[in-house]
Amino acid sequence: VMHSRMVNVGTPSDGSMAPRLPTIDADSSLAGGCGGVSRQSATERRKALRKRLPPWFKTSLPTGDAQTRYNETRSSVHEHGLHTVCEEARCPNVHDCWGRGTATFMIAGEVCTRGCRFCAVGTEKTPSPLDVSEPSELAEAVKRMGLDHAVITVVNRDDLDDGGAGHYRDCILTVSERCPEVGLELLCSDLDGNMDALEALLDGLPLRVFAHNVECVPRLDSIVRDRRASFEQSLSVLREARRLRPDILIKSSIMVGLGETDEEVSEAMRLLFDAGVEMLTLGQYLQPSDRHLPVDRFPEPEQFANWDSEAREIGFRAVASGPLVRSSYRAGLLWDEARGGAPVLLGGQVQN
């Protein structure tokens, strides 16, 4: 497989199971006075209850050539006034990806109209108007960075009649016109279930991959996602995208550590495959701040390897399953895998 530079352009990822980490009960450090009444604020209590990261979450900072590429990527992003999901969502892989000259750009603004409880991206009911210069700025950045595969991620824009579909389309068409040699992947919102907008978006759009994330297992929708989102609505979007564009690959992502069981992860994978999804990523949920959902568990790398094997047995053409995996991580390599290339992951860990 040819290892090439790529960018994830970004709406702004049974075997034995690792035991649940014990919860932290109130003790002398959390309680005070008669009756054990806590003297801590709500914020302090949330901080005290956050789980420590297990040892397999260690990452290294870039050095040498990787540090140079990291600086160049950062400069390209900021010079064009672009937003990246790497920064906005506080992705743990930012140094790895930017050190490889890759980035995940987030279009249609830096805030989202939804308030999912897992996501670090800011929320506003009425965001700023769309930036009409964004398509050209994005295309220029992709061209300057010498990319082979670009993933364009978007934020939800429920304030717009078409959910932002027209702007997403303009961005992709402009990048394709300026950089026809670059393969494009769109990580799309659910467009609030507007299938007419989805059809208008995908009509003849020059894409390699259409992606939309279900995020969690169905039972946890009301806890994890905004009330306007659901597993079933996401499945409908993925199913319709497969019907509209049988010529491109369909991709989705599941987070674990939100309260699901192993059996629910298996069932969610089967539902995605039945909907026409061919590429799948599974990764560990990490709590962005004390105000977000707490982590329920940290499955060990071996369990991610089990899910990888199970997904391949189900029939997915490409799978990335590991603690640090995110939906757009090394997306170009995953696309290569779907076309017969080597697996992106091995034993639940990302290959160097």
Side-chain angles (χ1 to χ4, degrees):
V1 177
M2 180 179 295
H3 295 281
S4 56
R5 298 180 70 194
M6 57 191 158
V7 71
N8 301 336
V9 185
T11 328
S13 192
D14 169 72
S16 59
M17 167 53 61
R20 292 175 183 264
L21 295 182
T23 57
I24 304 175
D25 297 320
D27 57 21
S28 59
S29 67
L30 297 179
C34 296
V37 178
S38 174
R39 295 175 178 171
Q40 293 181 314
S41 67
T43 299
E44 289 172 332
R45 288 196 297 273
R46 287 195 298 266
K47 288 182 178 179
L49 290 169
R50 290 188 73 174
K51 291 182 171 68
R52 291 179 179 271
L53 291 178
W56 55 82
F57 275 88
K58 291 181 180 179
T59 59
S60 58
L61 297 176
T63 59
D65 290 342
Q67 179 66 54
T68 300
R69 288 193 296 271
Y70 173 87
N71 293 336
E72 290 174 347
T73 301
R74 187 173 186 274
S75 296
S76 293
V77 167
H78 293 172
E79 179 180 339
H80 292 279
L82 299 170
H83 305 292
T84 68
V85 75
C86 315
E87 293 177 307
E88 299 296 337
R90 305 173 192 175
C91 180
N93 301 313
V94 62
H95 292 99
D96 178 272
C97 291
W98 287 22
R100 296 170 183 269
T102 75
T104 301
F105 295 108
M106 186 171 68
I107 63 172
E110 61 181 330
V111 294
C112 183
T113 53
R114 301 202 180 168
C116 297
R117 295 186 65 200
F118 67 88
C119 186
V121 175
T123 304
E124 286 186 13
K125 183 177 180 180
T126 307
S128 301
L130 295 170
D131 181 359
V132 296
S133 67
E134 186 170 49
S136 60
E137 293 285 359
L138 178 61
E140 181 60 27
V142 171
K143 187 174 184 64
R144 283 188 54 185
M145 294 171 69
L147 306 171
D148 293 323
H149 186 93
V151 182
I152 301 177
T153 302
V154 309
V155 293
N156 286 280
R157 292 299 301 253
D158 298 295
D159 57 312
L160 303 174
D161 291 340
D162 68 349
H167 184 73
Y168 308 157
R169 182 179 176 87
D170 288 344
C171 286
I172 293 168
L173 289 175
T174 303
V175 173
S176 179
E177 181 178 341
R178 189 85 58 87
C179 313
E181 73 286 355
V182 177
L184 298 176
E185 175 173 331
L186 173 63
L187 175 54
C188 193
S189 68
D190 64 8
L191 301 175
D192 202 23
N194 187 336
M195 298 304 171
D196 290 337
L198 179 65
E199 183 174 7
L201 168 64
L202 290 179
D203 184 26
L205 199 64
L207 288 178
R208 283 178 175 174
V209 179
F210 175 86
H212 171 67
N213 296 339
V214 295
E215 309 294 4
C216 62
V217 302
R219 178 177 59 84
L220 299 177
D221 273 341
S222 62
I223 298 172
V224 175
R225 305 178 74 183
D226 184 274
R227 60 179 176 77
R228 289 162 286 189
S230 71
F231 193 96
E232 186 52 45
Q233 179 161 279
S234 291
L235 274 189
S236 296
V237 169
L238 292 163
R239 192 179 296 114
E240 181 66 1
R242 162 53 58 232
R243 185 188 73 81
L244 292 168
R245 294 295 303 272
D247 57 313
I248 64 176
L249 293 169
I250 307 298
K251 177 179 175 182
S252 194
S253 182
I254 302 172
M255 293 181 294
V256 297
L258 289 160
E260 73 292 321
T261 65
D262 293 354
E263 292 74 17
E264 287 177 314
V265 174
S266 298
E267 176 61 19
M269 288 194 292
R270 286 189 287 270
L271 289 171
L272 286 171
F273 183 76
D274 290 343
V277 175
E278 300 158 288
M279 302 169 67
L280 179 68
T281 63
L282 295 96
Q284 171 72 52
Y285 165 67
L286 296 177
Q287 186 179 2
S289 79
D290 301 316
R291 301 184 66 85
H292 291 79
L293 283 173
V295 175
D296 177 72
R297 61 172 177 166
F298 288 106
E300 295 188 358
E302 289 76 11
Q303 179 57 37
F304 282 99
N306 291 338
W307 282 321
D308 181 288
S309 298
E310 183 179 357
R312 296 178 191 282
E313 291 174 1
I314 290 172
F316 289 98
R317 294 174 59 180
V319 181
S321 174
L324 284 172
V325 168
R326 295 298 178 263
S327 58
S328 298
Y329 186 53
R330 300 191 183 180
L333 295 179
L334 198 65
W335 180 75
D336 285 338
E337 180 184 337
R339 299 170 63 244
V344 173
L345 297 182
L346 182 64
Q349 296 288 6
V350 177
Q351 295 178 348
N352 293 323

